[in-house]
Amino acid sequence: MSVSKLSILKKISPVALAVSSTLASGYAVASDLNQTPDTRDEMEVIVVTSDFRGIELEKMPSSITVIDQQQIEDEGAQHFEDILNSIANFNWSGGSSRPKYFQIRGVGEQEEYQGAPNSSVGYIIDDIDMSGLGMISSMYDLQQVEVLRGPQGTRYGANALAGLIYLKSNDPTDVFEHGAEVSVGDDALTTFSGFSSGPLTDSGKLLYRVSLQQHKQNGYQDNLYLGRDDTNARDEFTGRAKLRWYATDDLEIDLTLLHADFDNGYDAWTLDNNGFDTLTDAPGVDKQRTSGSSLKFTYTGSDAFDLVSLTSYASSQTHHNYDGDWANPDYWAGLDCGGEPCQYDYTWDKRGERNTVSQEFRLSSTEAGRIFAGSTDWLLGVYGMRLSEDNNTVEDYNGWLDTLTAEYEAKNTAIFGQLDSDLGAGYGLSFGLRLESRDSNYSDSAGDKFNPDETMWGGHIALSKTLSDSHESYMRVARGYKAGGFNMSLPVELSDKKEYDTEILYNYEIGLKSIWLDGDINTNFSVFYMDRQDQQVSASQQNPNEPQKFILYTENAGSSSNYGAELDGTWYATDNLKLYASLGWLETEYGDYSYQDKYGGTVDLSGRELAHSPKFTYSAGATYRTDSGWFANLTTSGKSEFYYSDSNESTSEAYTIFNARMGYETELWSAYLWGRNLFDEKYGTRGFYFGNEPDQDWADKQYIRYGDPRQLGLTFSIKFI
């Protein structure tokens, strides 16, 4: 039975010092020596729900991180942003109010200012595809978060070249349970959350679950020019509803409804890189309103096979706007530009609407339907998807408007299959294949038109071996693909870059999943090598004639290679103490690739590391519970330095951050004090290197956007059964 919580948040800066002191001393209070086995966090069997068959994590021949509900609640995570640093070889780029551009093992997007959506990292919430729109990722009432590394060509196709992020919320329950949570914190943070679940009929055949969350905070920035502290604010609502109907003994129907309204500000950049005191006169916004649903029919009435029908729909309206000069008319007028007061006023505004509908049918064998003398499970499926997106972009430079309206539509159809064989002597073989066709059409008001179509294929073959009751090993080869595309609004000198080819990625992986000390410790270890062919690279050039503008395009960079390893583990050290950690090592480099800078010079990146690909990612956590109800959780995570972009040499600095949460728990209510980024580490999440100051003759300079500073708060939760 899940234990959920509700969050109330108000500005608590007067008590910040007291909270900080309590956090620092909380572990002494929590160290109650009266321990009993009943208080121990039991090791649970974790099932990977994003897989076709829902296989146990230790049986999956692939590198996967699963963060379950208990860890999410122990760490007090409100948004996916709060847990992503605990995932090995995972990174994100902070060019938006919330993370939505991700990199797995060095592969992924860093932004999307124009063009057709074409994600390298899949992002799915309860079977609703939100790839490229992942900012609406509340952690409240989630069952687990799954991150699958490497190509997922058999299961998810073109949107999962680098891997997949899958968020699974809690299902309806056959008994009533309700909960509420309220949090208050620095930066005027307030969060209200609640859920309700149970049967709708006396027969217990119709169940429901509803969860709601409203999160607000000021966004850590002070706009000195406007005298406001909320120009970078977060105002985020998330609602989920689920119905489960046991229509017959053989038919289960699941309906999921999702609505999210993120009405956030975007005022994060400063000319002097101070990070938190802005000067903009027209602070930006970063909004996303999404309504989505998934409908799943599971029929188990045949002896030989099960039938699954999965329909999903999502409609999203987005609005991203920023003040591109990062200052105000008074500031620029006070500076000298060639003997005259500077005049620089630039805003960029993009509004979009995306609609996605998909349908999938799957037939999968039952135990009685296995083939080859009962040794092999089989699965066959068909898939269709239609995505349409309309965008309207407006640039305003010193009163001169430049507009672009664009329409895009893509249709994907696929067939796929998978065989999973028991070869005997502890050996297992999994083979999957997917054939996918993509037909797209693009047109815009500047006269660009494209209608590419292509057929792609991907899949995997994995050999697993049970070494003993405690150790499972595997070898896996996977082929992923990412559709080719086109570049719009290019100048004549770049006319040869109008289109680019499909990228192919081969992933070779060896892994070992182990249980030690009679189940007290479990570890997952993998090493991998990735061969990228016709790698797609996002390039940008500042326009020398219009310095406020950039020429953005994607091109193929030949081949490149990534290799590394991941290790994560959990140790139930005592009946009351749980320790967990992760470590990622990643080496990346371009093959033969060079590009032209804004002055026409050649920049050779051959052999250089890829952007947003830190060599090391690491995390560690400890959770302590006593039989008397005291609780404490401490986590740390960090990254080594990494390049901010594929178009320049600017780099981040390595960083480590610490979070803590402590409190008191009973069966019906809990109260916590918490702190995030306790030592107020200033760390970069996105960087640009270009000229944005006319008084400096548009000289190139590094600009950095920073992550959230220290925050302290209180949370109270209650449940009703």
Side-chain angles (χ1 to χ4, degrees):
M1 185 177 299
S2 64
V3 179
S4 298
K5 308 171 181 175
L6 166 56
S7 318
I8 285 180
L9 293 153
K10 278 180 167 184
K11 192 171 184 178
I12 60 163
S13 51
V15 301
L17 183 60
V19 174
S20 181
S21 301
T22 308
L23 285 170
S25 59
Y27 289 91
V29 178
S31 57
D32 193 314
L33 298 179
N34 297 320
Q35 304 172 0
T36 68
D38 294 337
T39 62
R40 172 176 177 163
D41 283 333
E42 295 295 333
M43 183 182 297
E44 297 182 1
V45 175
I46 296 176
V47 174
V48 181
T49 59
S50 56
D51 179 69
F52 284 131
R53 295 182 178 275
I55 300 177
E56 295 177 12
L57 177 61
E58 63 268 21
K59 299 292 185 181
M60 280 286 291
S62 182
S63 177
I64 303 173
T65 291
V66 177
I67 301 175
D68 63 14
Q69 180 176 356
Q70 190 63 63
Q71 182 178 336
I72 292 171
E73 293 183 353
D74 287 349
E75 296 182 7
Q78 183 271 323
H79 189 274
F80 184 59
E81 182 175 355
D82 297 329
I83 64 169
L84 54 81
N85 277 344
S86 63
I87 303 166
N89 284 335
F90 188 93
N91 203 7
W92 62 287
S93 61
S96 52
S97 64
R98 287 293 201 179
K100 61 181 178 181
Y101 304 115
F102 306 103
Q103 302 84 43
I104 297 177
R105 293 177 172 175
V107 181
E109 281 67 54
Q110 298 156 36
E111 71 260 327
E112 184 190 313
Y113 291 109
Q114 64 178 15
N118 192 15
S119 298
S120 296
V121 177
Y123 199 100
I124 294 178
I125 303 174
D126 284 329
D127 294 320
I128 304 170
D129 192 343
M130 300 304 302
S131 301
L133 297 173
M135 65 183 283
I136 56 164
S137 47
S138 165
M139 293 290 100
Y140 183 68
D141 199 35
L142 275 193
Q143 176 181 315
Q144 60 194 41
V145 175
E146 304 171 10
V147 177
L148 288 68
R149 302 180 187 87
Q152 305 299 313
T154 304
R155 179 67 181 90
Y156 291 100
N159 272 354
L161 174 79
L164 177 79
I165 303 164
Y166 189 91
L167 273 58
K168 171 74 166 62
S169 65
N170 284 314
D171 289 325
T173 53
D174 56 6
V175 295
F176 285 108
E177 59 180 35
H178 320 284
E181 185 176 278
V182 74
S183 299
V184 297
D186 286 327
D187 191 44
L189 182 146
T190 58
T191 307
F192 300 87
S193 313
F195 84 96
S196 177
S197 181
L200 284 173
T201 61
D202 292 338
S203 65
K205 291 188 175 182
L206 184 60
L207 314 176
Y208 80 95
R209 190 178 194 96
V210 176
S211 62
L212 305 171
Q213 183 176 80
Q214 177 67 59
H215 173 77
K216 291 186 177 182
Q217 61 187 122
N218 280 348
Y220 306 109
Q221 305 288 344
D222 290 318
N223 189 307
L224 303 183
Y225 181 72
L226 298 178
R228 293 170 52 189
D229 64 358
D230 63 350
T231 54
N232 198 51
R234 296 167 179 165
D235 184 354
E236 304 170 343
F237 171 81
T238 304
R240 300 189 192 96
K242 285 189 169 184
L243 288 175
R244 172 166 290 176
W245 180 26
Y246 297 101
T248 70
D249 291 341
D250 302 321
L251 179 62
E252 177 183 315
I253 302 174
D254 289 282
L255 173 65
T256 299
L257 302 175
L258 167 68
H259 180 72
D261 188 358
F262 278 40
D263 186 5
N264 294 348
Y266 187 59
D267 189 21
W269 296 89
T270 59
L271 292 166
D272 62 357
N273 287 321
N274 75 76
F276 302 105
D277 293 326
T278 66
L279 296 173
T280 56
D281 63 313
V285 300
D286 191 26
K287 301 181 180 182
Q288 180 177 332
R289 177 179 293 178
T290 294
S291 296
S293 62
S294 66
L295 180 62
K296 184 177 183 180
F297 292 81
T298 305
Y299 177 72
T300 58
S302 170
D303 291 337
F305 62 84
D306 294 336
L307 171 64
V308 172
S309 169
L310 180 59
T311 308
S312 71
Y313 171 78
S315 177
S316 298
Q317 294 79 43
T318 59
H319 184 196
H320 189 67
N321 168 287
Y322 59 85
D323 188 332
D325 60 274
W326 300 346
N328 57 79
D330 294 336
Y331 173 86
W332 293 116
L335 300 176
D336 179 75
C337 288
E340 299 288 339
C342 294
Q343 182 183 3
Y344 183 25
D345 187 15
Y346 177 64
T347 58
W348 187 90
D349 185 278
K350 178 183 176 183
R351 297 174 186 263
E353 180 172 356
R354 182 188 299 184
N355 294 288
T356 306
V357 61
S358 67
Q359 175 64 53
E360 181 174 286
F361 294 102
R362 298 198 303 262
L363 286 174
S364 58
S365 61
T366 63
E367 184 175 352
R370 290 172 178 166
I371 57 177
F372 303 138
S375 67
T376 302
D377 281 308
W378 55 267
L379 180 141
L380 292 172
V382 295
Y383 170 83
M385 183 271 290
R386 177 183 177 273
L387 181 152
S388 64
E389 180 168 303
D390 297 336
N391 289 307
N392 183 33
T393 305
V394 178
E395 296 179 81
D396 185 346
Y397 175 60
N398 290 344
W400 292 91
L401 295 180
D402 188 2
T403 65
L404 181 72
T405 59
E407 296 179 353
Y408 174 76
E409 181 178 277
K411 296 178 181 178
N412 289 41
T413 56
I415 58 173
F416 55 88
Q418 183 168 309
L419 297 175
D420 297 290
S421 299
D422 182 353
L423 303 180
Y427 285 96
L429 180 67
S430 176
F431 173 76
L433 186 66
R434 185 184 187 100
L435 183 67
E436 185 164 355
S437 174
R438 180 185 180 96
D439 187 358
S440 58
N441 191 292
Y442 172 89
S443 63
D444 64 33
S445 58
D448 276 328
K449 293 183 178 181
F450 303 92
N451 56 351
D453 62 86
E454 57 187 317
T455 300
M456 304 162 285
W457 69 273
H460 74 275
I461 182 168
L463 178 67
S464 58
K465 167 64 174 174
T466 300
L467 303 177
S468 68
D469 290 340
S470 301
H471 302 284
E472 293 276 346
S473 64
Y474 69 89
M475 297 185 294
R476 181 184 182 92
V477 179
R479 186 186 198 266
Y481 53 88
K482 181 181 179 183
F486 44 83
N487 297 302
M488 63 290 297
S489 304
L490 292 184
V492 174
E493 55 268 25
L494 293 175
S495 59
D496 61 329
K497 300 185 183 297
K498 280 286 188 179
E499 298 187 18
Y500 53 90
D501 295 330
T502 302
E503 177 178 346
I504 303 299
L505 191 156
Y506 288 93
N507 184 84
Y508 306 90
E509 186 173 304
I510 300 174
L512 178 66
K513 302 188 178 188
S514 301
I515 297 174
W516 313 85
L517 300 180
D518 296 323
D520 286 343
I521 298 176
N522 65 72
T523 59
N524 301 297
F525 175 70
S526 63
V527 294
F528 64 90
Y529 178 85
M530 303 171 75
D531 177 16
R532 301 178 68 181
Q533 301 178 2
D534 291 321
Q535 176 190 349
Q536 295 176 12
V537 179
S538 296
S540 66
Q541 294 182 21
Q542 190 171 10
N543 191 326
N545 299 318
E546 297 178 279
Q548 81 284 358
K549 292 186 177 183
F550 282 82
I551 302 167
L552 305 174
Y553 59 95
T554 299
E555 62 179 332
N556 297 108
S559 63
S560 68
S561 60
N562 304 356
Y563 62 90
E566 292 111 12
L567 173 66
D568 63 64
T570 302
W571 177 23
Y572 294 86
T574 71
D575 291 339
N576 299 83
L577 178 62
K578 173 184 172 181
L579 306 174
Y580 52 97
S582 72
L583 176 64
W585 165 55
L586 177 64
E587 298 285 347
T588 66
E589 70 173 21
Y590 282 105
D592 183 13
Y593 176 59
S594 62
Y595 69 93
Q596 303 294 313
D597 64 20
K598 65 181 179 180
Y599 304 110
T602 298
V603 179
D604 189 357
L605 292 183
S606 301
R608 203 207 77 171
E609 295 176 2
L610 303 182
H612 279 266
S613 303
K615 183 171 293 189
F616 296 105
T617 52
Y618 50 89
S619 69
T623 300
Y624 187 77
R625 281 185 169 88
T626 71
D627 60 317
S628 57
W630 291 103
F631 160 89
N633 174 269
L634 175 67
T635 62
T636 182
S637 61
K639 293 178 172 66
S640 59
E641 66 177 23
F642 55 87
Y643 287 97
Y644 280 125
S645 174
D646 295 312
S647 298
N648 59 68
E649 297 295 304
S650 62
T651 61
S652 72
E653 294 183 359
Y655 67 86
T656 302
I657 58 176
F658 292 84
N659 304 322
R661 196 168 188 250
M662 62 86 62
Y664 187 78
E665 302 173 331
T666 73
E667 290 188 3
L668 297 180
W669 62 269
S670 303
Y672 305 95
L673 305 177
W674 51 264
R676 306 195 67 84
N677 192 5
L678 287 176
F679 298 103
D680 205 21
E681 179 80 2
K682 191 174 181 180
Y683 60 98
T685 61
R686 187 74 174 114
F688 295 119
Y689 189 82
F690 70 107
N692 198 37
E693 299 177 53
D695 60 308
Q696 302 297 321
D697 198 26
W698 306 100
D700 290 341
K701 174 182 172 181
Q702 178 169 294
Y703 300 101
I704 301 173
R705 189 264 173 96
Y706 296 98
D708 292 350
R710 176 173 52 225
Q711 185 167 55
L712 308 172
L714 310 167
T715 295
F716 178 78
S717 66
I718 189 170
K719 67 175 182 176
F720 311 93
I721 301 177

